[in-house]
Amino acid sequence: MAVRLANQFSQLLIKTPSISVPACAVGAARYCHVYNDPNYQFHNNKWNSRSKHWNPKFKRDRRLKFIKIDFPDPNEEIDPMKMSQEEMRAKMKEKGIQPVRPWQEKPMYVSSTAGTVEPYVPPEGDGKVSITSRAGAKQKFERMEKKGKSMMAIRKIRQFEENFDPHEFAEEAQQIYIDTHEALAKLDRDRLHQLVTERAYPLVTHEVRHKTLRWKFIKSLEPPQVVHARCTDIITKDNIFAQVTVRFHTQQTLAVYDRFGRLQYGSEVVARDVLEYVVFEKHIAHTYGSWRVHDKIIPDWLPPRQPILRTYRVATEEEEEEGAEKESTEVVPQSETQAPAVATA
């Protein structure tokens, strides 16, 4: 059977007539097999659905070359007054805008208090009377009587600082006091923000912009002493601030020059004895809080200080004449049509 089928198939191949192939068909066949020829570069048909880049690498980079732009719709309603609440909410959600709340909450950080809590009242004549005298002994006795609340405040401070010692802190406060004046003389604003609180900064730098300060610490006439301590809380019971008043009796020099180099106050040669009560504050509830200058207590019985000599530039004759002309032009004469008002009974 197999032999018979083979013979029949061979006869069919022999009897098949020869077909003439046109030249165009030969060219088409040749074109279909151009990709096999190394002398030609073969390109796939554009109508092919599998039109991918020949190099599969860098797909992401090629995709990022094209940026999709959302063009605004000219027929879209953009007036918020004409939009409903749901449309406005959907539009804000589409653009990634948080909805407006009926209340406004802003983060607030309280780094210092606004004043001094129960300010210390210095005894009259402090620093002038001797301890052995009657007035000096009375002052010391009154200071001992007022130590009750201060000891309670120191005990509160030790809950946050176990090694707090008033005597050691007085020495530390004196160094902060000296560094503050040196930074003020150099007008180092960054250093001043580290040494004084936000409340004391504008008071310390008041009218110092166009002046030159020469300050020098000579010595301490009496060792610094903690005379007052208070603690207070702000907003919450756990947010606690501590204030410690330190008494300084020192000898120092101070000279203030204006922008023209003229001496306005003090002297660089003559030293003066200075008695000051400086309040230091610390946010003890803050882990990284530090002691800073917060206020200075000025007693009522303190005599007034020497005023600062202010200098002015003397105006020339031409400037004086121009000023007089301006003053004369600024005066508007009363019109004749306006009659003065008469009070009637």
Side-chain angles (χ1 to χ4, degrees):
M1 187 67 181
V3 175
R4 187 183 301 173
L5 292 173
N7 293 333
Q8 293 178 0
F9 184 72
S10 61
Q11 293 176 2
L12 290 173
L13 292 176
I14 293 170
K15 294 179 180 179
T16 303
S18 60
I19 303 172
S20 61
V21 180
C24 61
V26 174
R30 179 63 179 171
Y31 178 79
C32 295
H33 297 280
V34 164
Y35 68 91
N36 291 328
D37 192 345
N39 297 324
Y40 292 90
Q41 185 177 4
F42 177 74
H43 300 279
N44 290 328
N45 296 327
K46 295 183 179 180
W47 52 264
N48 190 358
S49 61
R50 299 175 59 186
S51 57
K52 295 184 179 180
H53 199 274
W54 63 274
N55 188 359
K57 290 194 244 183
F58 312 113
K59 286 184 179 181
R60 179 177 175 273
D61 296 338
R62 286 194 293 271
R63 185 176 72 252
L64 294 177
K65 285 169 61 177
F66 301 94
I67 302 174
K68 294 182 179 180
I69 301 175
D70 295 334
F71 292 99
D73 187 3
N75 300 324
E76 184 182 7
E77 186 64 46
I78 59 175
D79 189 2
M81 302 301 295
K82 298 180 180 179
M83 296 172 63
S84 64
Q85 189 173 1
E86 293 297 330
E87 292 177 351
M88 188 181 297
R89 182 176 179 275
K91 199 66 180 176
M92 294 177 69
K93 189 174 182 180
E94 178 185 350
K95 295 182 178 295
I97 304 174
Q98 293 184 356
V100 181
R101 302 295 182 184
W103 63 88
Q104 293 182 358
E105 292 183 357
K106 296 182 179 179
M108 183 179 61
Y109 174 66
V110 181
S111 60
S112 65
T113 59
T116 305
V117 181
E118 297 182 19
Y120 176 72
V121 181
E124 188 174 356
D126 189 13
K128 296 182 180 180
V129 297
S130 176
I131 302 176
T132 57
S133 63
R134 182 177 179 180
K138 184 179 179 181
Q139 290 179 7
K140 189 174 182 180
F141 181 73
E142 290 178 354
R143 191 180 301 170
M144 293 292 293
E145 286 182 346
K146 298 178 181 179
K147 275 192 174 182
K149 289 186 177 180
S150 297
M151 293 302 296
M152 294 286 289
I154 291 173
R155 190 179 302 175
K156 189 71 174 178
I157 296 173
R158 284 175 179 166
Q159 293 180 5
F160 298 89
E161 294 184 15
E162 298 180 356
N163 301 325
F164 181 80
D165 186 11
H167 300 286
E168 295 179 359
F169 173 74
E171 299 293 335
E172 179 185 353
Q174 184 172 0
Q175 187 61 41
I176 297 173
Y177 174 83
I178 296 172
D179 294 343
T180 302
H181 283 78
E182 290 178 353
L184 181 62
K186 299 177 182 178
L187 202 58
D188 188 353
R189 300 184 183 276
D190 296 335
R191 182 60 176 162
L192 279 175
H193 278 294
Q194 299 175 1
L195 297 172
V196 302
T197 61
E198 283 70 16
R199 177 190 177 274
Y201 181 81
L203 301 176
V204 170
T205 58
H206 180 62
E207 292 187 356
V208 189
R209 184 177 178 182
H210 298 294
K211 293 181 176 60
T212 303
L213 303 181
R214 294 287 185 266
W215 182 87
K216 185 179 180 181
F217 179 82
I218 299 176
K219 63 179 180 179
S220 294
L221 300 178
E222 295 182 29
Q225 185 180 3
V226 176
V227 296
H228 196 68
R230 289 292 183 271
C231 289
T232 183
D233 56 85
I234 296 179
I235 301 175
T236 60
K237 294 293 183 181
D238 300 332
N239 193 28
I240 302 175
F241 289 83
Q243 293 182 356
V244 177
T245 305
V246 184
R247 176 181 180 271
F248 296 113
H249 195 188
T250 60
Q251 196 175 52
Q252 51 190 261
T253 59
L254 174 64
V256 181
Y257 298 91
D258 62 0
R259 58 180 178 173
F260 304 107
R262 302 187 184 96
L263 182 65
Q264 285 187 310
Y265 181 82
S267 173
E268 294 189 47
V269 181
V270 180
R272 291 189 177 184
D273 299 344
V274 180
L275 177 66
E276 290 181 316
Y277 297 89
V278 183
V279 181
F280 293 85
E281 186 181 83
K282 181 180 179 181
H283 191 188
I284 56 178
H286 193 350
T287 307
Y288 303 102
S290 59
W291 290 101
R292 298 184 295 176
V293 177
H294 184 66
D295 195 7
K296 182 189 290 186
I297 297 175
I298 302 176
D300 299 334
W301 47 265
L302 190 69
R305 294 185 178 182
Q306 177 185 352
I308 292 180
L309 299 175
R310 298 188 178 274
T311 56
Y312 304 93
R313 186 175 65 88
V314 178
T316 60
E317 295 181 358
E318 297 178 356
E319 292 177 348
E320 290 179 355
E321 292 177 358
E322 292 178 358
E325 291 178 358
K326 289 182 180 179
E327 290 179 358
S328 60
T329 55
E330 288 177 356
V331 177
V332 180
Q334 186 178 2
S335 60
E336 298 178 357
T337 57
Q338 295 178 354
V342 180
T344 58

